[in-house]
Amino acid sequence: MEKTDILSMNKEELTSYIVSLGEPAYRATQVWGWLMKGADIADMKNIPAALKQKLSENAFVATAKIAKKQVSKDGTIKYLYEMHDGEKIESVFMRYKHGNTICISTEAGCPMGCAFCASTLRGLSRRLLPSEMLSQIISTEKDTGERISGIVLMGIGEPLDNYDNVMKFLHLVGSPDGLNIGYRHISLSTCGLVDRIGRLAEENFPITLSISLHAADDETRSSLMPVNKKWNIAELLTACRAYFDKTGRRISFEYTLVRGKNDTVASANKLADVLYKYCSGMPLHVNLIPVNNVVERGFLPSEKSGIEAFAKTLEKRRIVATVRRTLGSDIDASCGQLRSKS
Ligand code: SAH
């Protein structure tokens, strides 16, 4: 019999489950408290031995266990976490002036095949459970002793490829009974699964949607991101427009600058053209990311002067452009460098 994943349950579901084991409902509140602190069944101190016994026979806690921890000179911490079945993923803890943010993985490996990214080198191993996304946060808070107030779903995997589990995770993480992290401090990044962007608009989570755009014409984008062959730029930006119209939430566009590929002033103008064509009237914000080194890939970042010229061109066209500050590059914790090393 498969064991029940109790950390993927909300408080009501956990209560019904505990009652179904023949226990009073208040035990669920105690168990819930332990789960949010990162305890395993054996560590639940005020729970009677008989209930712990029943729980360990029928259920499991999907605890993310630290397999490796690297601390960057800028204070960023990268964790290699081992899941209950031995699968490994990475999470990155970052300290900002406005609070601590964690970058979590949503899948072990990634099926999307982007040309510049390390996470997809070995394809998708499996999708993570809601509990496994939650436990990356709980384990990191436990290890650092610090509260996390922001989350970016920008680690390994494509969040919208693991749609139902990510939605369940979002419900859990924002729950006032649980970690209670505000949706306005949560960003979800996608390579552009257009059908799922439409569904996400209906969910009413006031999160920030980030779109990995990376090119302004289909030929270049398809050469970098295979997903563009399924949904091209026009379809993607039309979906963004519809998302904005439905939710009123700002969308952030990510653009990785690769030397000689998509980083000229002409590319910047093309980007502005295409954003205005499909998304005019929306607040336009482009996050520029100089491509990070991935040894197997060999792409080079643009020169500093090129990056500045690119950003200036966008600004002249009244598009807000920010160059992403690179945290943790000395420990390979930057965008696109996370992998499921075993
Ligand atoms: N699958 C989602 C979530 C990953 S987010 C997505 O594609 O959006 C990670 C971000 O880093 C994405 O914008 C991704 O395109 C970008 N990225 C991947 N590899 C990179 C690299 N080598 N250098 C800079 N950014 C990279």
Side-chain angles (χ1 to χ4, degrees):
M1 191 194 71
E2 222 178 280
K3 286 190 170 184
T4 304
D5 169 18
I6 49 175
L7 188 59
S8 283
M9 291 179 168
N10 62 30
K11 185 108 183 271
E12 267 173 22
E13 290 162 341
L14 183 70
T15 306
S16 318
Y17 180 70
I18 297 279
V19 169
S20 79
L21 294 177
E23 297 284 336
Y26 75 88
R27 291 287 181 209
T29 304
Q30 295 174 321
V31 171
W32 178 269
W34 286 112
L35 291 176
M36 292 304 123
K37 279 191 229 145
D40 229 319
I41 294 166
D43 313 325
M44 299 181 177
K45 294 204 183 72
N46 55 357
I47 304 296
L51 172 54
K52 282 204 267 197
Q53 179 69 25
K54 267 190 253 179
L55 282 175
S56 16
E57 279 163 16
N58 299 293
F60 73 102
V61 182
T63 321
K65 293 206 172 66
I66 303 176
K68 190 173 170 190
K69 175 180 172 182
Q70 287 168 277
V71 183
S72 160
K73 50 185 190 297
D74 63 31
T76 299
I77 305 173
K78 180 168 80 167
Y79 293 95
L80 179 69
Y81 277 125
E82 181 167 346
M83 303 290 122
H84 62 283
D85 63 350
E87 200 62 68
K88 294 189 181 87
I89 54 92
E90 292 186 313
S91 321
V92 182
F93 173 82
M94 296 162 286
R95 291 193 183 85
Y96 291 103
K97 270 187 239 107
H98 54 266
N100 299 322
T101 293
I102 188 169
C103 174
I104 65 161
S105 295
T106 55
E107 299 186 310
C110 181
M112 303 314 304
C114 295
F116 38 73
C117 185
S119 303
T120 194
L121 285 167
R122 291 188 299 151
L124 176 71
S125 187
R126 70 170 175 81
R127 301 187 170 107
L128 298 186
L129 301 165
S131 53
E132 293 174 313
M133 297 177 228
L134 204 60
S135 69
Q136 294 172 57
I137 305 171
I138 295 174
S139 294
T140 303
E141 285 192 333
K142 195 173 170 186
D143 182 62
T144 57
E146 293 181 45
R147 162 144 171 97
I148 289 169
S149 56
I151 309 169
V152 296
L153 282 77
M154 298 192 183
I156 300 167
E158 166 50 49
L160 298 187
D161 178 60
N162 188 10
Y163 190 87
D164 292 336
N165 287 346
V166 167
M167 292 308 118
K168 182 78 196 272
F169 161 75
L170 288 175
H171 279 292
L172 290 173
V173 81
S175 150
D177 289 326
L179 298 186
N180 198 14
I181 297 180
Y183 289 114
R184 288 186 164 71
H185 304 289
I186 300 179
S187 293
L188 182 154
S189 180
T190 178
C191 64
L193 303 187
V194 163
D195 54 342
R196 306 278 166 87
I197 293 173
R199 273 175 75 186
L200 184 65
E202 305 292 326
E203 309 274 353
N204 278 321
F205 287 116
I207 57 172
T208 301
L209 179 63
S210 291
I211 301 290
S212 294
L213 194 56
H214 305 321
D217 66 84
D218 284 320
E219 196 190 328
T220 311
R221 192 165 192 270
S222 295
S223 75
L224 293 172
M225 306 177 70
V227 67
N228 197 66
K229 294 175 194 150
K230 179 143 192 205
W231 288 289
N232 65 21
I233 294 176
E235 290 165 309
L236 174 57
L237 293 180
T238 302
C240 290
R241 169 93 246 174
Y243 182 91
F244 176 77
D245 288 343
K246 170 87 180 67
T247 64
R249 300 286 304 158
R250 172 174 89 76
I251 290 179
S252 158
F253 295 97
E254 287 158 287
Y255 193 100
T256 297
L257 289 162
V258 183
R259 194 190 295 183
K261 188 95 185 151
N262 62 358
D263 64 340
T264 59
V265 166
S267 305
N269 275 310
K270 219 192 279 179
L271 176 60
D273 291 343
V274 86
L275 288 176
Y276 278 114
K277 177 165 177 194
Y278 296 102
C279 298
S280 72
M282 281 167 60
L284 293 177
H285 185 152
V286 176
N287 210 327
L288 298 171
I289 318 168
V291 75
N292 293 305
N293 182 43
V294 173
V295 282
E296 294 87 338
R297 302 307 207 182
F299 287 122
L300 293 174
S302 312
E303 315 269 5
K304 198 159 173 265
S305 58
I307 299 171
E308 279 163 15
F310 197 100
K312 272 222 181 77
T313 307
L314 292 180
E315 272 155 17
K316 258 191 239 151
R317 304 277 309 264
R318 297 180 185 284
I319 293 172
V320 179
T322 46
V323 180
R324 183 170 295 172
R325 192 157 61 102
T326 303
L327 290 177
S329 53
D330 54 330
I331 53 168
D332 280 357
S334 301
C335 301
Q337 295 183 312
L338 302 188
R339 45 179 96 213
S340 342
K341 273 185 207 130
S342 39

